[in-house]
């Protein structure tokens, strides 16, 4: 049985195939890499692992609702979630193959990613009905599984009094932008990066917004929510519907791989919210955690555990 502080992550599970290159290939260009490495990924799984690691020993449980294929990749992904303390009872075995992400990382640590969704498209919110929604304090969602199912999952948990944290990444394609108001109407915490903030604000009628901060403030007021913009080395900034603003800085690092940094931020932020920490404290911990995740290759390898985060506000 989940506790009253439990977190539900509804989202994607992938295996990441990563190649390091001098420069990311342009259209029509072939580049060589000395090797390819495999890592566990998927925005949903990444955020679940980050949340579970940061919640270690607190009594907060993290449950993953997702789908994998009937293949060795799926078995490995499930084992990895369990090894990181994630409850996998809501992960289904679908007929489609396990999702895969193909990632190239350049010498500066920047990346380009192509995702083959596979089993992630088979995720169904109806299957959550067999589980008790009431114990969840928070649901975490992204944009790598069917939107209709994410909306249904968010409504199901919201009805029980839980908060909704939606990481609007990747930015919704044009055909889904007509549903942005529907998404934001149910959200308590919206997390976007700088580009996503501008794209969403423009889609909702604020095309003249030139800065992410302006876009975030607009989104917060429009739907009376908390909009948090992650800005990489510049830290993060949050706007609330009331107009209040909270900003935190990021520690200086020499990044090796930025893959998964945003997901680390979201997962650790979710734990802070579930614990009842003030927003600024939750953001400080999440920003510090995201910076640490950039120091190792792969989305999950560098995600910090609970002990690594103690006193993190003093390390920024």
């Amino acid at each position: 049985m989940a506790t009253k502080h439990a977190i539900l992550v509804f989202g994607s599970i992938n295996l990441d195939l990563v190649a390091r290159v001098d420069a990311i290939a342009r259209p029509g260009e072939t580049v060589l890499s000395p090797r390819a490495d495999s890592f566990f990924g998927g925005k949903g799984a990444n955020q679940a692992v980050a949340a579970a690691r940061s919640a270690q020993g607190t009594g907060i449980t993290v449950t993953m609702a997702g789908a994998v294929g009937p293949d060795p990749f799926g078995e490995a992904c499930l084992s990895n979630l369990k090894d990181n303390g994630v409850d996998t009872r809501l992960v289904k075995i679908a007929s489609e193959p396990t999702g895969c992400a193909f990632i190239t990382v350049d010498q500066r640590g920047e990346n380009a990613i192509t995702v083959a969704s596979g089993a992630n498209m088979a995720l169904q919110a109806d299957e959550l009905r067999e589980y008790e929604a009431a114990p969840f304090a928070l649901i975490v969602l992204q944009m790598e599984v069917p939107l209709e199912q994410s909306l249904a999952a968010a409504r199901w948990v919201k009805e029980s009094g839980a908060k909704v944290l939606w990481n609007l990444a990747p930015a919704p394609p044009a055909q889904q932008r007509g549903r942005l108001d529907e998404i934001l109407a149910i959200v308590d915490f919206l997390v976007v990066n700088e580009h996503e903030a501008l794209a969403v604000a423009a889609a909702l009628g604020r095309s003249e917004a030139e800065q992410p901060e302006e876009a975030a403030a607009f989104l917060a007021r429009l739907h009376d929510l908390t909009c948090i913009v992650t800005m990489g080395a510049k830290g993060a900034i949050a706007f609330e519907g009331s107009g209040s603003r909270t900003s935190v800085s990021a520690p200086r690092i020499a990044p090796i791989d930025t893959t998964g940094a945003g997901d680390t931020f979201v997962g650790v932020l979710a734990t802070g919210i579930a614990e009842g920490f003030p927003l600024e404290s939750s953001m400080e911990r999440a920003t510090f955690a995201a910076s640490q995740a950039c120091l190792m290759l792969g989305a999950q390898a560098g995600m910090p555990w609970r002990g690594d985060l103690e006193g993190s506000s003093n390390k920024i």
Side-chain angles (χ1 to χ4, degrees), residues 62-86:
V62 178
T63 299
M64 179 81 215
V68 297
D71 48 48
F73 283 178
E75 293 175 5
C77 288
L78 274 174
S79 294
N80 174 68
L81 288 169
K82 293 175 183 176
D83 289 345
N84 280 282
V86 178

Side-chain angles (χ1 to χ4, degrees), residues 276-297:
F277 288 166
L279 179 62
E280 183 174 6
S281 299
S282 297
M283 289 173 60
E284 285 176 345
R285 291 164 67 90
T287 301
F288 174 79
S291 71
Q292 300 309 292
C294 296
L295 300 179
M296 294 183 68
L297 186 64

Side-chain angles (χ1 to χ4, degrees), residues 159-203:
E159 289 170 0
S160 71
K163 300 292 186 182
V164 175
L165 190 163
W166 204 310
N167 177 211
L168 213 62
Q175 64 267 28
Q176 291 184 345
R177 291 185 182 177
R179 306 196 71 179
L180 282 171
D181 278 315
E182 188 178 356
I183 295 171
L184 299 190
I186 201 170
V187 166
D188 297 288
F189 301 93
L190 177 70
V191 181
V192 287
N193 65 22
E194 296 168 277
H195 304 295
E196 292 155 358
L198 291 168
V200 174

Side-chain angles (χ1 to χ4, degrees), residues 48 55 64-65 88 106 112 124 150 171 194 197 202 211 214 222 226 250 295 299:
M64 179 81 215
T88 61
D106 70 15
Q124 297 286 323
S150 292
E194 296 168 277
Q211 299 297 325
E214 183 183 354
L222 186 65
T226 299
L295 300 179

Side-chain angles (χ1 to χ4, degrees), residues 25-301:
R26 296 169 295 183
E29 182 182 19
T30 297
V31 297
L32 298 180
S33 173
R35 58 181 286 174
D37 295 295
S38 61
F39 301 93
F40 298 106
K43 283 189 170 297
N46 289 344
Q47 292 171 12
V49 168
R53 288 188 179 188
S54 62
Q56 183 188 34
T58 65
I60 294 175
T61 59
V62 178
T63 299
M64 179 81 215
V68 297
D71 48 48
F73 283 178
E75 293 175 5
C77 288
L78 274 174
S79 294
N80 174 68
L81 288 169
K82 293 175 183 176
D83 289 345
N84 280 282
V86 178
D87 182 344
T88 61
R89 75 184 75 183
L90 294 179
V91 178
K92 67 179 288 186
I93 308 299
S95 58
E96 291 294 315
T98 301
C100 283
F102 306 92
I103 303 170
T104 51
V105 182
D106 70 15
Q107 291 180 323
R108 297 173 299 169
E110 296 299 325
N111 61 68
I113 306 173
T114 300
V115 178
S117 297
N120 291 308
M121 292 296 103
L123 184 55
Q124 297 286 323
D126 283 349
E127 295 172 11
L128 299 177
R129 297 287 177 181
E130 300 177 6
Y131 202 73
E132 185 181 355
F136 290 113
L138 183 73
I139 184 171
V140 180
L141 308 106
Q142 322 79 36
M143 298 294 289
E144 288 187 335
V145 298
L147 177 58
E148 196 63 48
Q149 302 306 318
S150 292
L151 283 166
R155 293 189 188 106
W156 173 70
V157 174
K158 186 90 169 180
E159 289 170 0
S160 71
K163 300 292 186 182
V164 175
L165 190 163
W166 204 310
N167 177 211
L168 213 62
Q175 64 267 28
Q176 291 184 345
R177 291 185 182 177
R179 306 196 71 179
L180 282 171
D181 278 315
E182 188 178 356
I183 295 171
L184 299 190
I186 201 170
V187 166
D188 297 288
F189 301 93
L190 177 70
V191 181
V192 287
N193 65 22
E194 296 168 277
H195 304 295
E196 292 155 358
L198 291 168
V200 174
L204 291 175
R206 193 62 182 265
S207 57
E208 70 274 17
E210 297 182 356
Q211 299 297 325
E213 293 93 333
E214 183 183 354
F218 164 73
L219 294 172
R221 290 194 307 269
L222 186 65
H223 282 283
D224 191 24
L225 52 81
T226 299
C227 182
I228 301 169
V229 184
T230 58
M231 301 187 295
K234 294 181 287 184
I237 187 168
F239 289 88
E240 299 184 57
S242 63
S244 64
R245 165 180 173 153
T246 302
S247 60
V248 299
S249 59
R252 296 179 117 185
I253 60 165
I256 294 173
D257 181 6
T258 59
T259 307
D263 294 333
T264 303
F265 181 94
V266 171
V268 177
L269 178 72
T271 301
I273 293 170
E275 287 189 76
F277 288 166
L279 179 62
E280 183 174 6
S281 299
S282 297
M283 289 173 60
E284 285 176 345
R285 291 164 67 90
T287 301
F288 174 79
S291 71
Q292 300 309 292
C294 296
L295 300 179
M296 294 183 68
L297 186 64
Q300 296 179 17

